[in-house]
Amino acid sequence: MGTKNGTNQARGSRDVGSELIYLTKALKAPALRDAAAQLAERARDEGWSHEEYLAACLQREGAARGSHGAEGRTRTARFPFRKSLEDFLLVLVGFLVLWLP
């Protein structure tokens, strides 16, 4: 039932795990690759539809890309150091202590 190059194989003979690894690498979606098996098991246990499973996978990949994107933009900006709000508040408090009587 397969074609000459074997792309349309019978359902039972497909190695879905290898296919998912290949496709997630091709799509550059490492978070999806890491989460797919865990989400599939959860989907089976909770009776999710295919659409719900797909939405959960895409949410996981989107969240990962969002967090990595911010890190990449910060690196690209080449800031001399990373400063948090707490650091700013400590400097402000120290400044106010010096200037207030």
Side-chain angles (χ1 to χ4, degrees), residues 1 7-8 10-11 18 22 30 70 74 80 86 89:
M1 195 151 160
T7 55
N8 292 329
R11 185 179 182 114
S18 296
Y22 169 76
T74 302
E86 290 81 19
L89 292 175

Side-chain angles (χ1 to χ4, degrees), residues 18 20 28 31 37 40-41 48 53 55-56 69 71 75 77-78 80 82 84-85 87-89 91 94 98:
S18 296
L20 285 175
K28 297 182 182 177
E41 188 172 325
W48 292 357
Y53 170 69
E71 291 171 11
R75 265 194 314 272
R78 297 183 185 191
R82 181 174 271 178
S84 68
L85 183 59
D87 296 334
F88 176 74
L89 292 175
V91 170
L98 291 175

